[in-house]
Amino acid sequence: MKTIYVDNNATTKVDPLVVDAMLPFFSEQYGNPSSMHDFGGKVAQHIQEAREKIAALIHASPEEIVFTSCGTESDSTAIWATISSFPNKKHIITSRVEHPAVKNLVEHLGKKGYRVTFVPVDRQGNLDLDALYGQLSDDTALVSVMWANNETGVIFPIDEIARAIKERGIVFHTDAVQAVGKIPVDVSRHPIDMLSLSGHKIHGPKGIGVLYIKKGTKFSPFLIGGHQEKGRRGGTENVASIIGLGKAAELAADHLKSDWQKVADLRDRLEAGLLRSVPQSIVNGNSDARLPNTTSISFEYIEGESILLMLNELGICASSGSACTSGSLEPSHVLRAMGVPFTAAHGSIRFSLSQYNTKEEIDYITEKLPPIIERLRQLSPFWNQGKPAESSMLTGAECPI
Ligand SMILES: Cc1ncc(COP(=O)(O)O)c(C=O)c1O
């Protein structure tokens, strides 16, 4: 059975050119880049070249690039570094739709005495900018707002947000893990202090991330150890993955020039095909400010997990907007923050495409999915017993699906 992979916001295929670039660093050029000998020194040179490629992708200087182990570590580092640098400031602002890498850490800090403001979004997933600006105060240590949402693809106006925050002299971090490589990201044009990105979202390897730290930003390391990364992140470098990320960044910069319109056209074809053939299906999120590869679609009155299992039988890999943990069916915090009714949030599927997807794959999904929805709806007591009004907002406990 052929695999149709439309889950690229979860992770991406490592580009074969990236694999080729990495291989020599396992068994041939395995020196430690910190060593005094030339064998290690040559590896350090390759790391520097990778640093330059990543800097070029986001228009930073190479010295502003710090390698980490993943996007999560980059987010954590930005947050811990800032609160340690400003110990007297006890307020953090973020959005209600952040990835758990930010959300769970700031919630944890909320329990440790920090005041955390979660800025709301509207029904389209747009950030309430007035609510954000109204919360800025002399006690605010950090604002951390994602560039693009991993579930809906909605893009926040990072330039405008960064400018308003910097006018108040507050540190601004953005989790750009989903944005980098898919839309132009130019840190030289926006007053961003710190930015996170991750290798495995841009056809690079897993287990490698970057924190961009603007020159002059107050910083104290999260991983304290050796002098690597100019003392900003201790630990022997993950050389092969750094080289892989450098190659992936180079390829991503090329793809930005051409490939994404093709991906956006495929995404639109998928969306239009499904909306046309499945009644009561809705796209979640602002279609005008959205990543080119992402669509989150709610199929009302059925459960996303059931849809995914049936897609899985056909080799189609997508993901659901809801996180089903320990038997409790809780729809995603992103869709809840957007006010998507439970009956729709439960039946949400995220399709996230890449330049490897084809028209034939998209047409296969639009052919196979509508009968699956129809079958599941026939089994749904909710669908059969007359559908409740769109406005009825059920609580998790009341929701029978
Ligand atoms: C928006 C966002 N931030 C952070 C992360 C975490 O990245 P990593 O998996 O590299 O830790 C992800 C991964 O899905 C993400 O989508």
Side-chain angles (χ1 to χ4, degrees), residues 9-10 70-72 75 99 101 146 148 150 175 177-178 198 200-201:
N9 287 8
C70 56
T72 302
D75 287 342
H99 185 272
M146 69 199 323
N150 45 300
D175 174 342
V177 164
Q178 294 292 344
S198 175
H200 71 108
K201 310 291 184 179

Side-chain angles (χ1 to χ4, degrees), residues 97-119:
V97 294
E98 295 298 311
H99 185 272
V102 168
K103 175 181 171 283
N104 290 350
L105 174 55
V106 294
E107 278 175 2
H108 167 79
L109 292 170
K111 290 183 197 133
K112 300 279 173 201
Y114 281 84
R115 187 166 65 84
V116 182
T117 301
F118 291 93
V119 179

Side-chain angles (χ1 to χ4, degrees), residues 350-362:
R350 176 188 71 185
F351 300 95
S352 46
L353 282 58
S354 78
Q355 58 259 20
Y356 291 107
N357 289 120
T358 62
K359 186 168 150 295
E360 289 66 37
E361 290 179 333
I362 297 307

Side-chain angles (χ1 to χ4, degrees), residues 197-275:
L197 67 91
S198 175
H200 71 108
K201 310 291 184 179
I202 60 166
H203 302 284
K206 294 170 183 60
I208 185 74
V210 158
L211 181 63
Y212 155 81
I213 309 172
K214 192 188 200 69
K215 198 160 170 254
T217 303
K218 264 189 144 187
F219 182 83
S220 58
F222 175 54
L223 278 194
I224 299 173
H227 59 272
Q228 293 89 352
E229 298 300 287
K230 297 205 163 79
R232 293 171 296 181
R233 200 267 188 184
T236 300
E237 295 86 344
N238 180 356
V239 176
S241 294
I242 289 173
I243 305 301
L245 178 53
K247 186 68 192 173
E250 186 186 315
L251 296 172
D254 282 349
H255 290 149
L256 269 178
K257 292 179 204 137
S258 55
D259 288 359
W260 288 103
Q261 189 52 49
K262 182 201 128 197
V263 177
D265 291 346
L266 288 179
R267 187 272 315 270
D268 293 346
R269 184 181 178 92
L270 174 66
E271 206 170 79
L274 292 175
L275 293 187

